[in-house]
Amino acid sequence: MTTARAYAATSPTDDLVPTTIERRDVGAHDVLIDIAYAGVCHSDIHTVRGEWGPIAYPQVVGHEIVGTVAEVGSEVTKHKAGDRVGVGCMVNSCRECENCQAGMENYCLNGNIGTYASKDVDGSITQGGYATSVVVNDDFVLSVPESIPYEAAAPLLCAGITTYSPLMHWNAGPGKRVAVVGMGGLGHMAVKIAVAMGADVTVLSQTLSKQEDGLRFGAKDYFATSDESTFEKLSNTFDLIINTVSAPIDLQQYLSLLRLDGTMVSVGAPPEPLPISVFALMGKRRSYAASNIGGIRETQEMLDFCAEHNIAPEIELIDAAEINTAYERVLKSDVRYRFVIDAATI
């Protein structure tokens, strides 16, 4: 076992605090990664505050991880010491079910093992990336292209793939009108990626406060959803709506913006159930769906796509001592657009 410095939650209500954790020895198929940067995701906050269900404490979160390979196991061939790598939301899966065999480990029928707050194969609880090192099975380690700025690469491992996957699955591209609901950590990535795919992109945000940014990222239009006339103006407009908001919204209003056979996809995960009327779907054969990150193969595809199109998240780099303040700012939507922890400060 090796020791890593980390920041952990000790209860749903207390601040995260410095601690040390044990990482397992490097097995034959393992990779030891010296963590350089870890992104702060709203999922981290939901988890440590018990909003998605009870967890075991102390808990180290963080599933947007980039770093360099420090050591590899005897059977590892895809990675070597010194490589620039990343780890996202999963660290293992059964590898045997039909979904895993199809490269969609995120939908493992036996339940994938999350980077944090999951029961690992040895019965221990996984601890995430707010730490100085991590040991991960080599099949769940991604290669991070050199052209992606190092400190900005981490959020791609969650925010990037969470938006890339549905945009690919629902065929965003030339001739498609795509709306992005919410202009936060997920939303700004959805805009950048959809624009790079060739789609006609519109941002739907509560206010126009981030309009300049949205247009700079390539969106053609930007509307305030607090203005009721927005829903009248945009009725029957979009082929695809990506909802990145992790809070309740009026689904009926947004579904009215879809054209015939249009689809609205939620990638944010509010703790509360969202009511939906069948009549909002029936009129134009609309669909409502949700999407959850992506498989390892697709995540690598996303990283390569972002490298090819010079896409990177907009970040605020913080010291570990600022994590608790960052959490409060995330909850106030006071970040443009993703916090990233400098692991050297842990």
Side-chain angles (χ1 to χ4, degrees), residues 21 27 77 102 104 154 163 166 252 280 301 324:
I21 57 174
T77 59
M104 293 183 288
T163 50
Q252 275 59 243
E301 178 185 292
N324 296 299

Side-chain angles (χ1 to χ4, degrees), residues 10 84 126 318:
T10 57
R84 193 162 83 156
T126 55
I318 62 171

Side-chain angles (χ1 to χ4, degrees), residues 272-287:
E272 308 90 343
L274 296 178
I276 188 168
S277 167
V278 172
F279 292 103
L281 303 174
M282 277 183 173
K284 293 185 175 64
R285 200 165 58 192
R286 297 163 172 140
S287 298

Side-chain angles (χ1 to χ4, degrees), residues 35-87:
I35 298 174
Y37 301 100
V40 174
C41 178
H42 203 152
S43 300
D44 303 343
I45 302 173
H46 284 308
T47 299
V48 301
R49 297 192 173 182
E51 293 170 353
W52 286 350
I55 64 167
Y57 297 96
Q59 178 64 62
V60 177
V61 293
H63 56 204
E64 300 177 342
I65 302 166
V66 295
T68 55
V69 175
E71 181 183 347
V72 298
S74 59
E75 300 296 321
V76 175
T77 59
K78 293 180 289 187
H79 309 285
K80 65 182 186 304
D83 284 355
R84 193 162 83 156
V85 295
V87 178

Side-chain angles (χ1 to χ4, degrees), residues 148-149 152-153 155-156 159-160 163-164 167 172-173 178-203 210 212-222 242 244 302 305-316 336-338:
I148 299 175
L156 293 175
T163 50
Y164 178 89
L167 288 167
V178 175
V180 175
V181 182
M183 188 63 175
L186 290 173
H188 91 289
M189 288 307 307
V191 172
K192 289 188 175 190
I193 292 170
V195 167
M197 290 176 174
D200 184 321
V201 180
T202 295
V203 177
K210 299 176 183 177
E212 184 178 339
D213 284 351
L215 299 178
R216 177 166 57 88
F217 299 152
K220 296 288 182 64
D221 288 302
Y222 198 113
I242 303 295
T244 70
M302 175 275 304
F305 178 90
C306 289
E308 178 184 353
H309 294 276
N310 298 312
I311 295 172
E314 308 289 315
I315 68 161
E316 289 189 37
R336 296 197 180 184
Y337 282 88
R338 205 71 161 182

Side-chain angles (χ1 to χ4, degrees), residues 1-4 21-33 71-74 76 120-122 124 133-138:
M1 303 283 280
T2 59
T3 299
I21 57 174
E22 298 295 323
R23 298 298 196 186
R24 68 174 182 266
D25 288 335
V26 177
H29 291 280
D30 284 336
V31 177
L32 171 61
I33 301 167
E71 181 183 347
V72 298
S74 59
V76 175
D120 210 341
V121 292
D122 62 0
S124 64
S133 68
V134 66
V135 177
V136 181
N137 183 281
D138 63 332

